[in-house]
Amino acid sequence: MKVLGIESSCDETACAIVEDGKKIISNVVATQIPFHQIYKGVVPEIASRKHAEWILPVVRQALDEAGMTLEQVDAIAATNRPGLMGSLLVGLTFGKTLAWALNKPFIAVNHMLGHLYAAHLENDIPYPYLGLLVSGGHSIIAKVNGFDDLEVLGTTIDDSAGEAFDKVSKFYGLGYPGGVVIDKLAKQGNPKAFTFPVAKIDKNDDHRYDMSFSGLKTAVIHQADLFLNEGFEKTNENICASFQETAVKTLTSRLFRAVEDTGLKTVVAGGGVAANSRLREILAERTDIKCIFPPLKLCGDNGAMIAGVAYHFLKRGDRSPIDTTACARIPEFKRGLKNLEAFGRR
């Protein structure tokens, strides 16, 4: 089964064709970074307009690279949540229209399920496992029982990790996207230059795996001098190295707590922050845990992860109604539940 997947939740216009949920036949991503760099962040209006301008040529390129016609595609899939509403609507509307015109099955896919599935495209990963979903909008630790069956254990109570990276980078004028720039500068700095604070969250059952990045972000931006250690200079490189070290260890400390409590020894990461080199290093140091990352090209937004997830819905006999709409946010997570309302496709 060959599925054409469309992703347009933020600032990447992407389309891919994937066979049987595994084999990537083509994968095209048109990035809008140059159009948003001047603003040091994504401008929703610009993003949606660029999606409208690029969606048709991107889909055509994906078909051309696959050597296929639309008639040879078995189903159409598109992201419908969460993300920027204007951006989501472009890809979703295009995908639904295409499916309707061709009389092909259509599947609306939750963007977050796509990020967790990205590692499956190049690995055979048995369920269950612990998922670490880290992106510009979300930081989630979950027990993953199936491709659409997530039991959320913990999440950020304020900013996501990716958002903290972007805001620190913006304040110091380092560039955009912040995660890439900080990761690069951190390699030239000393992570011991600053001792930035780690948020202390109640360790009761409701918040045992939760994270917080707002206080860390505020400390790095407005109070860095207070946390500078003797013998070190306040340089951008040292700030980046120390901030990144604290942010990554905030993530991994909660994740390792979940590993100990659940007994699950396989961890699968997904999302843009999963490309962070320091995160990969710290997880690789744990020899008792099998850590699986998507290739760097699949950490960011892409159509392949959407097509991959859609295949499993189709295989199960699911279809999305043609009146499926976009949703900018997903409902608040309820720990310990499967979150069907949060991860549903309608």
Side-chain angles (χ1 to χ4, degrees), residues 33 73 105 116 130 252 273 298:
I33 288 177
V73 172
L116 269 180
L130 284 176
T252 55
V273 182
L298 296 178

Side-chain angles (χ1 to χ4, degrees), residues 69-313:
T69 64
L70 281 172
E71 287 70 24
Q72 293 173 303
V73 172
D74 297 304
I76 310 293
T79 302
N80 79 317
R81 64 175 61 191
L84 300 175
M85 182 59 83
S87 295
L88 285 167
L89 284 170
V90 174
L92 179 63
T93 304
F94 190 93
K96 289 196 301 180
T97 304
L98 207 57
W100 177 81
L102 296 169
N103 195 28
K104 304 278 188 181
F106 175 74
I107 293 290
V109 176
N110 186 306
H111 177 80
M112 312 311 292
L113 294 181
H115 273 310
L116 269 180
Y117 187 81
H120 288 258
L121 288 164
E122 294 193 357
N123 300 275
D124 293 322
I125 310 172
Y127 297 103
Y129 58 76
L130 284 176
L132 178 64
L133 187 59
V134 277
S135 66
H138 297 82
S139 295
I140 298 170
I141 295 171
K143 180 184 176 186
V144 184
N145 301 306
F147 74 94
D148 68 335
D149 185 351
L150 274 65
E151 183 180 334
V152 176
L153 302 178
T155 183
T156 177
I157 64 173
D158 41 55
D159 295 346
S160 68
E163 182 182 358
F165 272 85
D166 283 339
K167 288 184 176 178
V168 168
S169 180
K170 182 177 181 179
F171 178 83
Y172 285 101
L174 304 178
Y176 173 81
V180 176
V181 176
I182 288 177
D183 195 2
K184 182 177 180 180
L185 288 174
K187 291 181 172 63
Q188 305 167 40
N190 192 321
K192 297 181 180 180
F194 295 82
T195 304
F196 289 123
V198 176
K200 294 183 179 179
I201 302 175
D202 187 355
K203 292 184 180 180
N204 65 34
D205 291 341
D206 289 337
H207 299 284
R208 184 166 174 75
Y209 313 106
D210 283 347
M211 301 155 275
S212 170
F213 296 97
S214 179
L216 170 61
K217 176 196 67 180
T218 300
V220 177
I221 290 176
H222 299 297
Q223 303 167 330
D225 292 336
L226 297 177
F227 302 101
L228 179 63
N229 292 320
E230 187 176 350
F232 292 96
E233 296 182 14
K234 183 183 178 181
T235 64
N236 287 340
E237 291 78 8
N238 283 342
I239 289 172
C240 289
S242 300
F243 161 68
Q244 177 174 268
E245 189 75 6
T246 306
V248 168
K249 287 188 174 179
T250 296
L251 286 167
T252 55
S253 65
R254 273 53 171 195
L255 177 64
F256 294 153
R257 187 178 296 167
V259 168
E260 294 171 4
D261 291 350
T262 64
L264 294 173
K265 299 298 184 180
T266 299
V267 172
V268 177
V273 182
N276 182 271
S277 64
R278 185 57 182 144
L279 176 62
R280 291 179 174 233
E281 288 172 358
I282 290 179
L283 289 178
E285 290 170 0
R286 286 286 299 259
T287 57
D288 60 322
I289 300 173
K290 182 179 181 181
C291 299
I292 305 173
F293 287 86
L296 293 178
K297 64 182 179 180
L298 296 178
C299 286
D301 295 346
N302 63 87
M305 65 185 191
I306 303 303
V309 170
Y311 164 77
H312 292 280
F313 280 119

